[in-house]
Amino acid sequence: MKNFIKYGFTFFALLFLGLGWVFAQEKDKTLPKANEEYSQSKYSDAEADYRISNSKFPNRSVSPYNLGNAIYKQNQASEAKYAYAKALKNAKSRIQKHKAFHNLGNVFMKEKDYTQAVEAYKNALRNNPTDEETRYNFALAKKMLKENPPKDNKDKKDKNKDKNKDKDKDKNKDKKDQDKKDGDKDKDKKDNKKDGDQNKKDGKDKQDPNQQPKPQPGGISKDRLENLLDAVNNEEKKIQDKVNAKKVKGRPVQTEKDW
């Protein structure tokens, strides 16, 4: 697998280098020099000159594409994909797009990002459906993706599961807290009622001795009734005493007989 991808990468680089010679006629003297350095495996020097060429002709696709190749050869795959992305942006022909997408797929394969690799090779085939190397790499990327599914889906499911679990836990906790609050409220109400009843009872037991008794509904107070009865009894006693006194006064006095 590794050798095949490497072969495809090198083959596409040489094709694009050939296209680069056409642009070299347009006063881009740096590009041929960079191509020569690349062919001599002087990838660091080639990278520097490709950057110069790209800065002079920013709307062309050859320099950024070859720049991506030089960076890739220095084991900087993640950085190389940005150069390929610019090459795709400037690409005018289907051939240029095919080569850039193919090598971009190689970058994703090296990063083990098989989802993106499949998409890159798929786009390469859209621009050249007959290329056997791209077809092979596309099939290989799909196989690797099947054997190594992305963790995002599993992590997302686990995260959602944990999130729902936390929600249920929070709901249960909130319900318990609310039930406790309601229970405390009921207890406070009962305690307040109990205190009120006790205060009411204490109020009856601890009446002020100087306080006048309140009249009972529908009649006079008990104390007042007792006082009236005492007064009536006293009056009756006085009357009875007068009657008895009169009886004694009108009765003939009996004297003792002398024997």
Side-chain angles (χ1 to χ4, degrees), residues 246-255:
K246 288 181 179 181
K247 287 181 179 180
V248 171
K249 186 176 181 180
R251 182 183 301 172
V253 178
Q254 183 177 0
T255 60

Side-chain angles (χ1 to χ4, degrees), residues 8 16-17 24 35 38 70 85 117 141 150 185 192 198 213 228 238-239 252:
F16 244 80
L17 291 176
N35 292 341
Y38 183 92
K185 286 182 180 179
N192 291 336
Q198 185 64 37
L228 289 174
K238 289 180 181 180
I239 293 171

Side-chain angles (χ1 to χ4, degrees), residues 158-168 170:
D158 293 341
K159 188 175 181 180
N160 290 335
K161 184 177 179 181
D162 293 339
K163 189 175 181 180
N164 292 333
K165 187 176 180 180
D166 292 338
K167 281 185 178 179
D168 294 338
D170 291 339

Side-chain angles (χ1 to χ4, degrees), residues 99-117:
K99 305 300 182 183
F101 273 123
H102 179 98
N103 284 3
L104 186 60
N106 292 347
V107 170
F108 289 128
M109 287 291 284
K110 193 167 186 177
E111 292 180 337
K112 296 183 179 180
D113 188 349
Y114 303 119
T115 301
Q116 294 296 330

